[in-house]
Amino acid sequence: MRVLVIGSGAREHALALALRRDPAVTAVAVAPGNAGIAQHVDVRSVDPSSGEEVAALARELNADLVVIGPEVPLVLGVADAVRAAGIPAFGPSAAAARIEGSKAFAKDVMNAAGVRTAHSEIVDHPGELDAALDRFGPTWVVKDDGLAAGKGVVVTADRSVAREHGAELLENGHPVLLESFLDGPEVSLFCLVDGENVVPLLPAQDHKRVGDGDTGPNTGGMGAYTPLPWLSDETLQAIVDDVVKPVAAEMVRRGVPFSGLLYAGLAVGSAGPAVIEFNCRFGDPETQAVLTMLDSPLGELLFATATGTLGEVEAPRWKDGAAVTVVLAAENYPGRPRSGDVITGAESSGTGTTSEVLHAGTALREDGSIVSAGGRVLSIVGQGADLSEARKNAYDRLAAIKLPGGHFRTDIALAAVEGRITVPTPVV
């Protein structure tokens, strides 16, 4: 099987390395890729948002499967274009990708499916913002209704901050989604979905805020870990049965069946699991940790999902232990990041042993140097017998990397290691 992966981040680097480990996969190409990915597999130039270009490249490479990483190409219908060319695509149609592309659509699906989520309200006129804010709080959740790469969300107890973010979104022509605040620790659950067939992967937890102790603005994600020692098997099964399966069934009922990776972001609070958001693709940086732990052939799982045969393959097997991903970000991220700085010590082994360096925002300079070329520059993944050892392996590897002005969180998975994460006692 020849596989083409679309995207250029650490998620795609993780996908490429996991696909290479599948004995049935004979060739992997990534487009457009980055400097680190190019060390391991064929990298091609393509506009990832152009269905025509992606389909043409897939035909040129005789690809048996196209795996689309980022959300923007999916929302724009790139998977539809690939399938129209007669090539299996892992990723939902544009119609199904609205589960991420429009939070209002996602809310409508969840309400119809009877899935718990935050109470919400759309504001599309500046004159309605103040009255709407008065109906929420004292912790306000203010979101961009469209795609915002994880950075269009403000969660604050300060009404003026909430109002400022909402006003800025409206000024830029973006509808605002106000939501009630959900208590409890957050969970990222990835599920392979083929119509009504749902196969969960390992649950993970992302760290969205830029600073230690969950301080500072939201980012695309500064680190993640898996598995979650504080999440019971019973709660995990409840998320699959009461959240993901009903949503998948509702999408089928609407005539827009979901095919690909359905990512449920949830808060596990005193009233049980509740959905914060759905995404239509593998999440970054959780993917880097989850795929490190996968012991099954990834190509087989993705191809079965793309061809409607997910129910015929063996459930995923997982390695013992844990994995921790730490993101090294460029100076000023999540604002406008500094770029062009030389990175040293970031060689990627491609073997996935106790630690691995996955490239995200990197480029190759003419003199052969690898330089920063994005906000999140690298993902360092540590693997170990438990979270503590995985953390140590990730941070030990990170210590050997130099990026001028680079910054990272020092507390990824620390609260879980120290037993400080608890699920609130259910309110009867």
Side-chain angles (χ1 to χ4, degrees):
M1 181 163 55
R2 296 173 298 277
V3 184
L4 170 63
V5 178
I6 300 301
S8 59
R11 165 184 49 212
E12 287 74 33
H13 199 168
L15 285 163
L17 293 184
L19 286 163
R20 282 205 325 169
R21 296 194 292 269
D22 184 338
V25 174
T26 54
V28 179
V30 180
N34 60 45
I37 294 173
Q39 296 172 357
H40 302 124
V41 300
D42 183 22
V43 167
R44 297 298 186 98
S45 176
V46 79
D47 175 358
S49 297
S50 168
E52 185 179 352
E53 283 193 31
V54 171
L57 178 59
R59 282 194 296 265
E60 178 190 333
L61 296 173
N62 293 316
D64 301 295
L65 175 67
V66 177
V67 179
I68 301 168
E71 62 273 23
V72 172
L74 291 167
V75 170
L76 293 177
V78 171
D80 302 275
V82 171
R83 281 190 278 265
I87 301 167
F90 181 85
S93 65
R98 290 178 67 205
I99 195 86
E100 178 170 1
S102 168
K103 293 178 179 66
F105 173 79
K107 292 287 185 185
D108 190 50
V109 169
M110 284 186 274
N111 289 335
V115 169
R116 280 194 69 243
T117 184
H119 166 67
S120 65
E121 192 173 320
I122 292 283
V123 179
D124 56 13
H125 188 279
E128 301 167 356
L129 181 59
D130 281 313
L133 286 168
D134 289 342
R135 292 190 285 273
F136 289 82
T139 297
W140 285 267
V141 181
V142 186
K143 297 183 176 182
D144 187 329
D145 184 50
L147 296 176
K151 291 177 283 186
V153 181
V154 163
V155 180
T156 179
D158 187 330
R159 188 184 187 283
S160 64
V161 172
R163 188 184 190 285
E164 182 181 0
H165 184 59
E168 182 182 357
L169 291 173
L170 290 167
E171 188 177 331
N172 292 324
H174 295 219
V176 172
L177 183 76
L178 296 178
E179 288 186 338
S180 57
F181 179 70
L182 297 171
D183 68 328
E186 293 188 13
V187 176
S188 298
L189 182 63
F190 299 167
C191 292
L192 300 173
V193 176
D194 153 24
E196 292 197 40
N197 286 322
V198 174
V199 175
L201 305 184
L202 281 183
Q205 187 178 59
D206 185 12
H207 295 62
K208 281 288 186 192
R209 302 276 189 166
V210 72
D212 283 2
D214 294 326
T215 57
N218 271 336
T219 69
M222 293 299 291
Y225 66 94
T226 189
L228 309 181
W230 46 267
L231 185 71
S232 71
D233 291 342
E234 293 76 18
T235 301
L236 178 60
Q237 192 60 50
I239 293 170
V240 175
D241 293 340
D242 301 337
V243 175
V244 185
K245 286 184 177 180
V247 164
E250 175 62 19
M251 298 286 278
V252 170
R253 191 190 69 77
R254 290 176 179 229
V256 286
F258 193 95
S259 171
L261 194 290
L262 188 57
Y263 161 169
L266 311 108
V268 184
S270 52
V275 175
I276 299 168
E277 64 179 357
F278 275 106
N279 292 328
C280 65
R281 38 70 195 183
F282 278 103
D284 183 335
E286 300 100 320
T287 297
Q288 293 87 297
V290 170
L291 291 185
T292 294
M293 300 304 295
L294 182 66
D295 203 29
S296 296
L298 179 64
E300 177 185 55
L301 289 166
L302 301 189
F303 186 78
T305 305
T307 55
T309 58
L310 183 59
E312 300 171 20
V313 299
E314 182 186 352
R317 300 182 308 276
W318 302 98
K319 301 170 187 172
D320 293 331
V324 172
T325 301
V326 182
V327 169
L328 177 62
E331 183 175 343
N332 201 39
Y333 178 80
R336 185 174 184 141
R338 197 171 95 178
S339 62
D341 289 305
V342 174
I343 308 162
T344 58
E347 295 74 24
S348 177
S349 70
T351 58
T353 51
T354 58
S355 64
E356 181 60 275
V357 180
L358 301 174
H359 285 232
T362 65
L364 193 63
R365 209 165 62 180
E366 285 185 5
D367 64 0
S369 299
I370 291 177
V371 298
S372 59
R376 293 186 295 175
V377 179
L378 301 170
S379 282
I380 296 85
V381 185
Q383 187 179 344
D386 55 24
L387 280 176
S388 181
E389 185 179 326
R391 256 179 60 81
K392 181 180 185 305
N393 288 335
Y395 282 107
D396 283 353
R397 182 66 185 87
L398 178 55
I401 299 171
K402 301 294 181 247
L403 169 64
H407 61 96
F408 57 91
R409 283 184 58 161
T410 66
D411 63 347
I412 304 301
L414 183 60
V417 168
E418 295 179 346
R420 291 187 280 115
I421 301 181
T422 55
V423 174
T425 303
V427 174
V428 180

